[in-house]
Amino acid sequence: MLKQNYKKIELSPKYTPKKSEPYMCPEQLAYFYQMLSNQLEEIMHNTDSVLSDVRIAEKNETAGVGDEQDQAAAEQELTRNLRMSERNANLLQKIKAALERMENGTFGYSVISGEEIGLQRMLARPLATMTLEEQEEYEKRK
């Protein structure tokens, strides 16, 4: 079931996976691979920008730049940037794990049961690792 040729497939910009296609056929994998790779690039670019903003804010804070309002606003911005950085780090891990599942042929299949997650769910949530029923059961136990 290992389908590595999906990386080389050039899809039409209008392509959308269809239920009539075999589940996780090379075209569908190419679609998700391109989507996730683009997200990965965008997040890495944003992470560099956020970290740069954090460094600047920390320098300004240690230099005592601005009045109390400026410092409070800068602290708020720093906190927001740190949260964004943490969120991006978590998202990066999930995207890398999804790309790894593509490599080993398990993308689109539940990590619990091995069942198909379903195309509609994957289109709505490409990072899904469980069927909807399994996810709901997991949420109830949590």
Side-chain angles (χ1 to χ4, degrees), residues 5-17:
N5 60 346
Y6 61 87
K7 291 180 181 179
K8 297 177 183 172
I9 295 175
E10 289 191 36
L11 298 171
S12 159
K14 295 180 182 181
Y15 173 81
T16 303

Side-chain angles (χ1 to χ4, degrees), residues 18-71:
K18 298 165 199 62
K19 281 188 174 184
S20 60
E21 300 171 323
Y23 187 68
M24 290 302 143
C25 64
E27 290 76 19
Q28 289 181 2
L29 287 172
Y31 175 84
F32 288 111
Y33 176 75
Q34 290 170 14
M35 175 196 309
L36 293 172
S37 294
N38 289 341
Q39 284 182 353
L40 185 72
E41 258 183 59
E42 184 178 324
I43 291 168
M44 290 177 76
H45 174 73
N46 288 344
T47 298
D48 291 343
S49 174
V50 168
L51 290 176
S52 176
D53 290 347
V54 167
R55 287 186 194 104
I56 290 169
E58 286 175 338
K59 282 181 185 176
N60 287 342
E61 189 175 319
T62 57
V65 176
D67 60 15
E68 287 181 24
Q69 281 185 328
D70 289 339
Q71 289 175 358

Side-chain angles (χ1 to χ4, degrees), residues 2-140:
L2 200 57
K3 302 174 182 175
Q4 295 200 3
N5 60 346
Y6 61 87
K7 291 180 181 179
K8 297 177 183 172
I9 295 175
E10 289 191 36
L11 298 171
S12 159
K14 295 180 182 181
Y15 173 81
T16 303
K18 298 165 199 62
K19 281 188 174 184
S20 60
E21 300 171 323
Y23 187 68
M24 290 302 143
C25 64
E27 290 76 19
Q28 289 181 2
L29 287 172
Y31 175 84
F32 288 111
Y33 176 75
Q34 290 170 14
M35 175 196 309
L36 293 172
S37 294
N38 289 341
Q39 284 182 353
L40 185 72
E41 258 183 59
E42 184 178 324
I43 291 168
M44 290 177 76
H45 174 73
N46 288 344
T47 298
D48 291 343
S49 174
V50 168
L51 290 176
S52 176
D53 290 347
V54 167
R55 287 186 194 104
I56 290 169
E58 286 175 338
K59 282 181 185 176
N60 287 342
E61 189 175 319
T62 57
V65 176
D67 60 15
E68 287 181 24
Q69 281 185 328
D70 289 339
Q71 289 175 358
E75 190 172 316
Q76 221 172 13
E77 183 71 14
L78 178 61
T79 301
R80 186 187 71 79
N81 283 339
L82 289 172
R83 279 193 198 128
M84 179 75 78
S85 180
E86 185 177 317
R87 179 188 165 278
N88 285 347
N90 290 335
L91 194 51
L92 275 175
Q93 282 183 321
K94 289 179 181 182
I95 291 172
K96 287 178 181 180
L99 292 171
E100 193 173 300
R101 286 193 304 278
M102 280 184 193
E103 284 290 317
N104 66 30
T106 61
F107 180 82
Y109 296 88
S110 169
V111 295
I112 295 173
S113 65
E115 291 179 32
E116 292 181 3
I117 292 173
L119 186 57
Q120 290 303 102
R121 178 158 166 75
M122 293 305 294
L123 286 169
R125 185 159 170 79
L127 300 176
T129 59
M130 294 180 252
T131 65
L132 187 56
E133 296 78 18
E134 292 167 341
Q135 185 69 44
E136 287 172 349
E137 183 63 31
Y138 173 77
E139 295 294 329
K140 281 181 192 175

